[in-house]
Amino acid sequence: MREWLTVGKSGTIEWAEMKRRFAWEFNGMRLHEYYFENLTPTATALDHQSQLYKKIEEDFGQYDLWEQGFKGTGGMRGIGWVILVFDVQTGRLFNAWLGEHDTGLLVDTLPLLVMDVFEHAFLPDYGLKRSEYVEAFFNVIDWKRVENRLRPV
Ligand SMILES: [Fe+2]
């Protein structure tokens, strides 16, 4: 709904509820776009010469430590998203957890790698074996796409 169509309705419960739900709906849409865009059936490993690989090693010590942290975040209880983000302010990478679609988004960060950990993403194929879903996710990452999301500060 366009903002100008609701002018004068800001005192209503409906208007307030629409405002409260906006981030949930917007982020849900955008995060799914990022998620599906960073998947490919022809995955290859992240290029060790890439800027992203070097940045991961710089910020997490080793690539493997970053991967463990990302997967570990994906194994946390609850539903939401795991996102490798790039902080535009400091140039640092973080593995972030977003509860639902709208809780925990870090301001001024760019999503690089996005993994859906709502039940609908893994239950149909993996049941309660969420860790197998996370492993399978790593086999279909489009690293070229993820690399291209990293922009210089
Ligand atoms: Fe989803």
Side-chain angles (χ1 to χ4, degrees):
M1 165 119 3
R2 292 177 190 258
E3 187 84 26
W4 62 268
L5 289 172
T6 64
V7 169
K9 297 183 179 176
S10 61
T12 65
I13 292 170
E14 291 82 4
W15 188 88
E17 193 56 27
M18 202 171 62
K19 283 291 176 191
R20 288 184 215 288
R21 293 183 186 199
F22 181 61
W24 202 91
E25 299 294 348
F26 185 91
N27 288 355
M29 170 193 70
R30 196 57 57 77
L31 288 164
H32 279 100
E33 290 171 359
Y34 272 86
Y35 171 67
F36 287 114
E37 284 172 5
N38 62 213
L39 299 177
T40 178
T42 56
T44 55
L46 176 59
D47 180 359
H48 289 202
Q49 300 307 313
S50 69
Q51 183 190 3
L52 179 58
Y53 187 90
K54 291 173 184 170
K55 189 79 188 125
I56 286 173
E57 293 246 301
E58 184 183 318
D59 287 357
F60 293 89
Q62 293 175 348
Y63 174 88
D64 290 346
L65 292 176
W66 164 76
E67 189 176 305
Q68 275 181 33
F70 191 94
K71 289 177 176 176
T73 309
M76 287 175 19
R77 291 172 60 187
I79 55 170
W81 299 86
V82 183
I83 309 181
L84 170 65
V85 297
F86 175 70
D87 178 21
V88 173
Q89 298 264 342
T90 64
R92 287 200 51 207
L93 299 173
F94 299 101
N95 286 328
W97 169 262
L98 263 72
E100 300 278 349
H101 299 315
D102 57 345
T103 307
L105 187 64
L106 303 176
V107 173
D108 257 352
T109 62
L110 300 174
L112 302 181
L113 177 63
V114 175
M115 181 171 70
D116 189 341
V117 284
F118 273 68
E119 282 107 345
H120 62 240
F122 61 89
L123 271 179
D125 292 323
Y126 300 96
L128 297 177
K129 296 174 183 164
R130 184 157 154 170
S131 62
E132 289 185 15
Y133 161 72
V134 172
E135 289 299 325
F137 172 83
F138 267 77
N139 293 328
V140 292
I141 295 172
D142 186 344
W143 281 112
K144 275 287 164 222
R145 170 81 67 161
V146 176
E147 280 177 43
N148 288 336
R149 290 174 178 165
L150 180 63
R151 288 180 242 143
V153 178

Coordinates of all heavy atoms in Angstrom, one line a residue, residues 37-118:
E37 N 18.7 -16.6 -5.0 CA 19.8 -16.1 -5.9 C 21.1 -16.7 -5.5 O 22.0 -16.8 -6.4 CB 19.8 -14.6 -5.9 CG 18.7 -14.0 -6.7 CD 18.6 -12.5 -6.6 OE1 19.5 -11.9 -5.9 OE2 17.7 -11.9 -7.1
N38 N 21.3 -17.0 -4.2 CA 22.7 -17.5 -3.9 C 22.7 -19.1 -3.9 O 23.6 -19.7 -3.4 CB 23.3 -16.9 -2.7 CG 22.6 -17.1 -1.3 OD1 22.6 -16.2 -0.5 ND2 21.9 -18.2 -1.1
L39 N 21.7 -19.7 -4.6 CA 21.7 -21.1 -4.8 C 22.0 -21.4 -6.3 O 21.5 -20.7 -7.1 CB 20.4 -21.7 -4.4 CG 20.0 -21.6 -2.9 CD1 18.6 -22.2 -2.6 CD2 21.1 -22.2 -2.0
T40 N 22.7 -22.5 -6.5 CA 22.9 -23.0 -7.9 C 23.1 -24.5 -7.9 O 23.7 -25.0 -7.0 CB 24.1 -22.3 -8.6 OG1 24.2 -22.8 -9.9 CG2 25.4 -22.5 -7.8
P41 N 22.6 -25.2 -9.0 CA 22.9 -26.6 -9.1 C 24.3 -26.9 -9.5 O 24.7 -28.1 -9.4 CB 21.8 -27.1 -10.1 CG 21.5 -25.9 -10.9 CD 21.7 -24.7 -10.0
T42 N 25.0 -25.9 -10.0 CA 26.4 -26.1 -10.5 C 27.4 -25.4 -9.6 O 28.2 -24.6 -10.0 CB 26.5 -25.6 -11.9 OG1 26.1 -24.3 -12.0 CG2 25.6 -26.4 -12.8
A43 N 27.3 -25.7 -8.3 CA 28.1 -24.9 -7.3 C 29.6 -25.3 -7.5 O 30.0 -26.4 -7.8 CB 27.7 -25.3 -5.9
T44 N 30.4 -24.3 -7.2 CA 31.9 -24.5 -7.1 C 32.3 -23.9 -5.8 O 31.6 -23.1 -5.2 CB 32.6 -23.9 -8.2 OG1 32.2 -22.5 -8.3 CG2 32.3 -24.6 -9.5
A45 N 33.5 -24.3 -5.3 CA 34.0 -23.7 -4.1 C 34.3 -22.2 -4.2 O 34.5 -21.7 -5.3 CB 35.3 -24.5 -3.6
L46 N 34.4 -21.5 -3.1 CA 34.7 -20.1 -3.1 C 36.2 -20.0 -3.6 O 37.1 -20.7 -3.0 CB 34.6 -19.5 -1.7 CG 35.0 -18.1 -1.5 CD1 34.3 -17.1 -2.5 CD2 34.8 -17.7 -0.1
D47 N 36.5 -19.2 -4.5 CA 37.8 -19.0 -5.1 C 38.7 -18.4 -4.0 O 38.5 -17.4 -3.4 CB 37.7 -18.0 -6.2 CG 39.0 -17.7 -6.9 OD1 40.1 -18.2 -6.4 OD2 39.1 -16.9 -7.8
H48 N 39.8 -19.2 -3.7 CA 40.7 -18.7 -2.6 C 41.5 -17.4 -3.0 O 42.0 -16.8 -2.1 CB 41.8 -19.9 -2.4 CG 41.1 -21.0 -1.7 ND1 41.9 -21.9 -0.9 CD2 39.9 -21.5 -1.6 CE1 41.1 -22.9 -0.4 NE2 39.9 -22.6 -0.8
Q49 N 41.4 -17.0 -4.2 CA 42.1 -15.8 -4.6 C 41.1 -14.6 -4.5 O 41.5 -13.5 -4.8 CB 42.7 -15.9 -6.0 CG 43.7 -17.0 -6.2 CD 44.8 -16.8 -5.1 OE1 45.3 -15.7 -4.9 NE2 45.2 -17.9 -4.5
S50 N 39.8 -14.9 -4.3 CA 38.8 -13.8 -4.3 C 38.9 -12.9 -3.1 O 39.4 -13.3 -2.1 CB 37.4 -14.5 -4.3 OG 37.1 -15.1 -3.1
Q51 N 38.4 -11.7 -3.3 CA 38.4 -10.7 -2.2 C 37.6 -11.2 -1.0 O 38.0 -11.0 0.1 CB 37.8 -9.4 -2.8 CG 37.8 -8.3 -1.7 CD 37.0 -7.1 -2.2 OE1 36.4 -7.1 -3.3 NE2 37.0 -6.0 -1.4
L52 N 36.5 -11.9 -1.3 CA 35.7 -12.4 -0.2 C 36.4 -13.5 0.6 O 36.3 -13.5 1.8 CB 34.4 -13.0 -0.8 CG 33.4 -13.6 0.2 CD1 33.0 -12.6 1.3 CD2 32.2 -14.2 -0.4
Y53 N 37.1 -14.4 -0.1 CA 37.8 -15.4 0.7 C 38.9 -14.8 1.6 O 39.0 -15.1 2.8 CB 38.5 -16.4 -0.3 CG 39.1 -17.6 0.4 CD1 38.4 -18.8 0.7 CD2 40.4 -17.6 0.8 CE1 38.9 -19.8 1.3 CE2 41.0 -18.6 1.5 CZ 40.3 -19.8 1.7 OH 40.8 -20.8 2.4
K54 N 39.6 -13.9 1.0 CA 40.6 -13.2 1.8 C 40.0 -12.4 3.0 O 40.6 -12.4 4.1 CB 41.4 -12.2 0.9 CG 42.3 -13.0 -0.1 CD 42.9 -12.0 -1.1 CE 43.7 -12.8 -2.1 NZ 44.2 -12.0 -3.2
K55 N 38.9 -11.8 2.8 CA 38.2 -11.0 3.8 C 37.7 -12.0 4.9 O 37.8 -11.7 6.1 CB 37.0 -10.3 3.2 CG 36.4 -9.3 4.1 CD 37.2 -8.0 4.2 CE 36.6 -7.2 5.3 NZ 37.6 -6.8 6.3
I56 N 37.2 -13.1 4.5 CA 36.7 -14.1 5.5 C 37.9 -14.6 6.4 O 37.8 -14.6 7.6 CB 36.1 -15.3 4.8 CG1 34.7 -14.9 4.3 CG2 36.0 -16.5 5.8 CD1 34.0 -16.0 3.5
E57 N 39.0 -14.9 5.7 CA 40.2 -15.3 6.5 C 40.7 -14.2 7.4 O 41.1 -14.5 8.5 CB 41.3 -15.7 5.5 CG 41.0 -16.9 4.7 CD 41.9 -18.1 5.0 OE1 43.1 -18.0 4.8 OE2 41.3 -19.2 5.4
E58 N 40.6 -13.0 6.9 CA 41.1 -11.8 7.7 C 40.2 -11.6 9.0 O 40.7 -11.4 10.1 CB 41.0 -10.6 6.9 CG 41.5 -9.3 7.5 CD 41.3 -8.1 6.5 OE1 41.6 -8.3 5.3 OE2 40.9 -7.1 7.0
D59 N 38.9 -11.8 8.8 CA 38.0 -11.4 9.9 C 37.6 -12.6 10.8 O 37.3 -12.4 11.9 CB 36.6 -10.9 9.3 CG 36.8 -9.5 8.8 OD1 37.9 -8.9 8.9 OD2 35.8 -9.0 8.2
F60 N 37.8 -13.8 10.3 CA 37.4 -15.0 11.1 C 38.7 -15.9 11.4 O 38.5 -16.9 12.1 CB 36.4 -15.9 10.4 CG 35.0 -15.2 10.3 CD1 34.8 -14.4 9.2 CD2 34.1 -15.3 11.2 CE1 33.5 -13.8 9.0 CE2 32.8 -14.7 11.1 CZ 32.6 -13.9 10.0
G61 N 39.8 -15.5 11.0 CA 41.0 -16.2 11.2 C 41.3 -17.3 10.2 O 42.4 -17.3 9.6
Q62 N 40.3 -18.1 9.9 CA 40.4 -19.1 8.9 C 39.1 -19.3 8.2 O 38.0 -19.1 8.9 CB 40.8 -20.5 9.4 CG 42.2 -20.6 10.0 CD 42.3 -22.0 10.7 OE1 41.4 -22.7 10.9 NE2 43.6 -22.3 11.0
Y63 N 39.1 -19.7 7.0 CA 37.8 -20.0 6.3 C 37.0 -21.0 7.1 O 35.8 -20.8 7.2 CB 38.1 -20.4 4.8 CG 36.8 -20.9 4.2 CD1 36.0 -19.9 3.5 CD2 36.3 -22.2 4.2 CE1 34.8 -20.3 2.9 CE2 35.1 -22.6 3.6 CZ 34.4 -21.6 3.0 OH 33.2 -22.0 2.4
D64 N 37.7 -22.1 7.5 CA 36.9 -23.1 8.2 C 36.3 -22.6 9.5 O 35.2 -23.1 9.8 CB 37.9 -24.3 8.5 CG 38.3 -25.0 7.3 OD1 37.7 -24.8 6.2 OD2 39.3 -25.8 7.4
L65 N 36.9 -21.7 10.2 CA 36.3 -21.2 11.4 C 35.0 -20.4 11.0 O 34.0 -20.4 11.7 CB 37.3 -20.3 12.1 CG 38.5 -21.0 12.8 CD1 39.4 -20.0 13.4 CD2 38.0 -22.1 13.8
W66 N 35.1 -19.6 9.9 CA 33.9 -18.9 9.5 C 32.8 -19.9 9.2 O 31.7 -19.7 9.6 CB 34.2 -18.1 8.2 CG 32.9 -17.7 7.6 CD1 32.0 -16.7 8.1 CD2 32.2 -18.3 6.5 NE1 30.8 -16.7 7.3 CE2 31.0 -17.7 6.4 CE3 32.6 -19.4 5.7 CZ2 30.0 -18.1 5.4 CZ3 31.7 -19.8 4.7 CH2 30.4 -19.1 4.6
E67 N 33.1 -20.9 8.4 CA 32.1 -21.9 8.0 C 31.5 -22.6 9.2 O 30.3 -22.8 9.3 CB 32.7 -23.0 7.1 CG 31.7 -23.9 6.4 CD 32.3 -24.8 5.4 OE1 32.9 -24.4 4.5 OE2 32.1 -26.0 5.6
Q68 N 32.3 -22.9 10.2 CA 31.8 -23.5 11.4 C 30.8 -22.6 12.1 O 29.8 -23.0 12.7 CB 33.0 -23.8 12.4 CG 33.6 -25.2 12.2 CD 34.7 -25.3 13.2 OE1 34.7 -24.9 14.4 NE2 35.8 -26.0 12.8
G69 N 31.2 -21.3 12.2 CA 30.4 -20.3 12.8 C 29.0 -20.1 12.1 O 28.0 -20.0 12.7
F70 N 29.1 -20.1 10.8 CA 27.9 -19.9 10.0 C 27.0 -21.1 10.2 O 25.8 -21.0 10.5 CB 28.3 -19.8 8.5 CG 27.1 -19.4 7.6 CD1 26.9 -18.0 7.4 CD2 26.2 -20.3 7.1 CE1 25.9 -17.6 6.5 CE2 25.2 -19.9 6.3 CZ 25.0 -18.5 6.0
K71 N 27.6 -22.3 10.1 CA 26.8 -23.6 10.3 C 26.2 -23.7 11.7 O 25.1 -24.1 11.9 CB 27.6 -24.8 9.9 CG 27.9 -24.9 8.4 CD 28.8 -26.2 8.2 CE 29.0 -26.4 6.7 NZ 29.9 -27.5 6.4
G72 N 27.0 -23.3 12.6 CA 26.6 -23.3 14.0 C 25.4 -22.3 14.3 O 24.5 -22.7 15.0
T73 N 25.5 -21.2 13.6 CA 24.4 -20.3 13.8 C 23.1 -20.9 13.2 O 22.0 -20.7 13.7 CB 24.7 -18.9 13.1 OG1 26.0 -18.5 13.5 CG2 23.7 -17.9 13.3
G74 N 23.3 -21.6 12.1 CA 22.2 -22.3 11.4 C 21.6 -23.4 12.3 O 20.4 -23.8 12.1
G75 N 22.3 -23.9 13.2 CA 21.8 -24.9 14.1 C 21.2 -24.5 15.3 O 20.7 -25.3 16.2
M76 N 21.1 -23.1 15.5 CA 20.5 -22.6 16.7 C 19.0 -22.9 16.7 O 18.4 -23.1 15.7 CB 20.7 -21.1 16.8 CG 22.1 -20.7 17.1 SD 22.5 -18.9 17.1 CE 21.0 -18.1 17.2
R77 N 18.5 -23.0 17.9 CA 17.0 -23.2 18.1 C 16.3 -21.9 17.5 O 16.8 -20.8 17.6 CB 16.7 -23.4 19.5 CG 17.2 -24.7 20.1 CD 16.9 -24.8 21.5 NE 15.5 -24.7 21.9 CZ 15.1 -24.7 23.1 NH1 16.0 -24.7 24.1 NH2 13.8 -24.6 23.4
G78 N 15.1 -22.2 17.0 CA 14.3 -21.1 16.5 C 14.3 -21.0 15.0 O 15.1 -21.8 14.4
I79 N 13.5 -20.2 14.5 CA 13.4 -20.1 13.0 C 13.8 -18.7 12.6 O 13.7 -17.7 13.4 CB 11.9 -20.3 12.5 CG1 10.9 -19.3 13.3 CG2 11.5 -21.7 12.7 CD1 9.6 -19.3 12.6
G80 N 14.4 -18.6 11.4 CA 14.9 -17.3 10.9 C 15.8 -17.5 9.8 O 15.7 -18.3 8.9
W81 N 16.9 -16.7 9.8 CA 17.8 -16.6 8.8 C 19.3 -16.5 9.3 O 19.5 -15.9 10.4 CB 17.6 -15.4 7.9 CG 16.3 -15.3 7.3 CD1 15.1 -14.8 7.9 CD2 15.9 -15.7 6.0 NE1 14.1 -14.9 7.0 CE2 14.5 -15.5 5.8 CE3 16.6 -16.3 4.9 CZ2 13.9 -15.8 4.6 CZ3 16.0 -16.6 3.8 CH2 14.6 -16.3 3.6
V82 N 20.2 -17.1 8.6 CA 21.6 -16.9 8.9 C 22.2 -16.1 7.7 O 22.0 -16.5 6.6 CB 22.4 -18.2 9.1 CG1 23.8 -18.0 9.4 CG2 21.7 -19.1 10.1
I83 N 22.9 -15.1 8.0 CA 23.3 -14.2 7.0 C 24.8 -13.8 7.2 O 25.1 -13.3 8.3 CB 22.5 -12.9 6.9 CG1 21.0 -13.3 6.8 CG2 22.9 -12.1 5.7 CD1 20.1 -12.0 6.7
L84 N 25.6 -14.0 6.3 CA 27.0 -13.4 6.3 C 26.8 -12.0 5.8 O 26.3 -11.8 4.7 CB 27.9 -14.2 5.4 CG 29.3 -13.5 5.2 CD1 30.1 -13.5 6.5 CD2 30.1 -14.3 4.1
V85 N 27.1 -11.1 6.7 CA 26.9 -9.7 6.3 C 28.2 -8.9 6.3 O 29.1 -9.3 7.0 CB 25.9 -8.9 7.2 CG1 24.5 -9.5 7.2 CG2 26.4 -8.9 8.7
F86 N 28.2 -7.9 5.5 CA 29.4 -7.0 5.4 C 29.0 -5.7 6.0 O 28.0 -5.0 5.5 CB 29.8 -6.8 3.9 CG 30.9 -5.8 3.7 CD1 32.2 -6.1 4.1 CD2 30.6 -4.6 3.1 CE1 33.2 -5.2 3.9 CE2 31.6 -3.7 2.8 CZ 32.9 -4.0 3.3
D87 N 29.7 -5.2 7.0 CA 29.4 -4.0 7.7 C 30.0 -2.8 6.9 O 31.2 -2.7 6.8 CB 29.9 -4.0 9.1 CG 29.6 -2.7 9.8 OD1 28.7 -1.9 9.4 OD2 30.3 -2.4 10.8
V88 N 29.2 -2.0 6.3 CA 29.7 -0.9 5.5 C 30.5 0.1 6.3 O 31.4 0.7 5.8 CB 28.5 -0.2 4.8 CG1 28.9 1.0 4.0 CG2 27.8 -1.2 3.8
Q89 N 30.1 0.3 7.5 CA 30.8 1.3 8.4 C 32.2 0.9 8.7 O 33.1 1.7 8.7 CB 30.0 1.4 9.7 CG 28.6 2.0 9.5 CD 28.5 3.5 9.7 OE1 29.4 4.1 10.3 NE2 27.4 4.1 9.2
T90 N 32.4 -0.4 9.0 CA 33.8 -0.8 9.5 C 34.5 -1.7 8.5 O 35.7 -2.0 8.6 CB 33.6 -1.6 10.8 OG1 32.9 -2.8 10.6 CG2 33.0 -0.8 11.9
G91 N 33.7 -2.2 7.5 CA 34.3 -3.2 6.5 C 34.5 -4.6 7.1 O 35.2 -5.4 6.5
R92 N 33.8 -4.9 8.2 CA 33.9 -6.2 8.8 C 32.8 -7.1 8.4 O 31.7 -6.7 8.0 CB 34.0 -6.1 10.3 CG 35.3 -5.5 10.8 CD 35.5 -5.9 12.2 NE 35.4 -7.3 12.5 CZ 35.0 -7.8 13.7 NH1 34.7 -7.0 14.7 NH2 34.8 -9.1 13.9
L93 N 33.1 -8.4 8.4 CA 32.1 -9.4 8.2 C 31.6 -10.0 9.5 O 32.3 -10.1 10.4 CB 32.7 -10.6 7.3 CG 33.3 -10.3 6.0 CD1 34.0 -11.5 5.4 CD2 32.2 -9.8 5.0
F94 N 30.3 -10.3 9.5 CA 29.7 -11.0 10.7 C 28.7 -12.1 10.2 O 28.1 -11.9 9.1 CB 28.8 -10.0 11.5 CG 29.6 -8.8 12.1 CD1 29.5 -7.6 11.4 CD2 30.4 -9.0 13.2 CE1 30.2 -6.5 12.0 CE2 31.1 -7.9 13.7 CZ 31.0 -6.7 13.1
N95 N 28.6 -13.1 11.0 CA 27.6 -14.1 10.8 C 26.4 -13.7 11.7 O 26.5 -13.7 12.9 CB 28.0 -15.5 11.2 CG 29.0 -16.1 10.2 OD1 28.8 -15.9 9.0 ND2 29.9 -17.0 10.7
A96 N 25.3 -13.3 11.1 CA 24.2 -12.7 11.8 C 23.0 -13.7 11.8 O 22.8 -14.4 10.9 CB 23.8 -11.4 11.2
W97 N 22.3 -13.6 12.9 CA 21.0 -14.4 13.0 C 19.8 -13.4 13.0 O 19.8 -12.4 13.7 CB 21.0 -15.1 14.4 CG 19.7 -15.7 14.7 CD1 18.7 -15.1 15.5 CD2 19.1 -16.9 14.2 NE1 17.6 -16.0 15.6 CE2 17.8 -17.1 14.8 CE3 19.6 -17.9 13.4 CZ2 17.0 -18.2 14.6 CZ3 18.8 -19.0 13.1 CH2 17.5 -19.1 13.7
L98 N 18.9 -13.7 12.1 CA 17.7 -12.9 12.1 C 16.5 -13.8 12.5 O 16.2 -14.8 11.9 CB 17.3 -12.4 10.7 CG 17.7 -11.0 10.3 CD1 19.2 -10.9 10.2 CD2 17.1 -10.5 9.1
G99 N 15.9 -13.5 13.6 CA 14.7 -14.2 14.1 C 13.5 -13.8 13.2 O 13.4 -12.6 12.9
E100 N 12.7 -14.8 12.8 CA 11.6 -14.5 11.9 C 12.2 -13.8 10.7 O 13.2 -14.2 10.2 CB 10.5 -13.6 12.5 CG 9.9 -14.3 13.8 CD 8.8 -15.3 13.4 OE1 8.4 -15.3 12.3 OE2 8.4 -16.0 14.3
H101 N 11.6 -12.7 10.2 CA 12.2 -11.9 9.1 C 12.7 -10.5 9.5 O 13.4 -9.9 8.8 CB 11.2 -11.7 8.0 CG 10.6 -12.9 7.4 ND1 11.3 -14.0 7.0 CD2 9.3 -13.2 7.1 CE1 10.5 -14.9 6.5 NE2 9.3 -14.4 6.5
D102 N 12.4 -10.2 10.7 CA 12.5 -8.7 11.1 C 13.2 -8.5 12.4 O 13.2 -7.3 12.9 CB 11.1 -8.1 11.1 CG 10.1 -8.8 12.0 OD1 10.4 -9.9 12.5 OD2 9.1 -8.1 12.3
T103 N 13.8 -9.5 13.0 CA 14.4 -9.2 14.3 C 15.9 -9.5 14.2 O 16.3 -10.6 13.9 CB 13.8 -10.1 15.4 OG1 12.4 -9.9 15.4 CG2 14.4 -9.7 16.8
G104 N 16.7 -8.5 14.4 CA 18.2 -8.7 14.4 C 18.9 -8.2 13.2 O 20.1 -8.4 13.1
L105 N 18.2 -7.6 12.3 CA 18.8 -7.0 11.1 C 19.8 -5.9 11.6 O 19.5 -5.0 12.3 CB 17.8 -6.4 10.2 CG 18.4 -5.9 8.8 CD1 18.9 -7.1 8.0 CD2 17.3 -5.2 8.0
L106 N 21.1 -6.1 11.2 CA 22.1 -5.2 11.6 C 22.2 -4.0 10.6 O 22.4 -4.1 9.4 CB 23.5 -5.9 11.6 CG 23.6 -7.1 12.5 CD1 24.9 -7.8 12.3 CD2 23.3 -6.8 13.9
V107 N 22.0 -2.8 11.2 CA 21.9 -1.6 10.4 C 23.3 -1.3 9.7 O 24.3 -1.5 10.2 CB 21.6 -0.4 11.3 CG1 21.7 0.9 10.5 CG2 20.2 -0.6 11.9
D108 N 23.2 -0.9 8.4 CA 24.3 -0.6 7.6 C 25.2 -1.8 7.2 O 26.4 -1.7 7.1 CB 25.2 0.5 8.3 CG 25.0 1.8 7.6 OD1 24.3 1.9 6.6 OD2 25.6 2.8 8.1
T109 N 24.5 -2.9 7.1 CA 25.2 -4.1 6.6 C 24.6 -4.6 5.3 O 23.4 -4.4 5.1 CB 25.2 -5.3 7.6 OG1 23.8 -5.7 7.8 CG2 25.8 -4.9 8.9
L110 N 25.5 -5.2 4.5 CA 25.0 -5.8 3.2 C 24.9 -7.3 3.4 O 25.9 -7.9 3.8 CB 26.0 -5.5 2.1 CG 26.3 -4.1 1.7 CD1 27.4 -4.0 0.7 CD2 25.0 -3.4 1.2
P111 N 23.8 -7.9 3.0 CA 23.7 -9.4 3.0 C 24.6 -9.9 1.9 O 24.5 -9.5 0.8 CB 22.3 -9.7 2.8 CG 21.6 -8.4 2.6 CD 22.6 -7.3 2.5
L112 N 25.4 -10.9 2.2 CA 26.3 -11.5 1.2 C 25.8 -13.0 0.9 O 25.5 -13.3 -0.2 CB 27.7 -11.6 1.6 CG 28.4 -10.2 2.0 CD1 29.8 -10.4 2.4 CD2 28.3 -9.2 0.8
L113 N 25.7 -13.8 2.0 CA 25.3 -15.1 1.9 C 24.1 -15.3 2.8 O 24.2 -15.0 4.0 CB 26.4 -16.1 2.3 CG 26.0 -17.6 2.3 CD1 25.6 -18.1 0.9 CD2 27.1 -18.4 2.8
V114 N 23.0 -15.8 2.2 CA 21.7 -15.8 3.0 C 21.2 -17.3 3.0 O 21.1 -17.9 2.0 CB 20.6 -14.9 2.4 CG1 19.3 -15.1 3.1 CG2 21.1 -13.5 2.4
M115 N 20.9 -17.8 4.2 CA 20.4 -19.2 4.4 C 19.1 -19.1 5.2 O 19.1 -18.6 6.3 CB 21.4 -20.0 5.1 CG 21.0 -21.5 5.3 SD 22.2 -22.6 5.9 CE 22.4 -22.0 7.6
D116 N 18.1 -19.7 4.6 CA 16.8 -19.8 5.2 C 16.8 -20.9 6.2 O 17.1 -22.0 5.8 CB 15.7 -20.0 4.1 CG 14.3 -19.9 4.5 OD1 14.0 -20.0 5.7 OD2 13.4 -19.8 3.6
V117 N 16.4 -20.7 7.4 CA 16.3 -21.7 8.4 C 14.9 -21.7 9.1 O 14.7 -22.1 10.2 CB 17.4 -21.8 9.5 CG1 18.7 -22.3 8.9 CG2 17.6 -20.4 10.1
F118 N 13.9 -21.3 8.3 CA 12.5 -21.6 8.7 C 12.3 -23.1 8.4 O 12.9 -23.7 7.6 CB 11.5 -20.8 7.8 CG 11.3 -19.4 8.3 CD1 12.3 -18.4 8.3 CD2 10.0 -19.0 8.8 CE1 12.0 -17.1 8.8 CE2 9.7 -17.8 9.3 CZ 10.7 -16.8 9.3

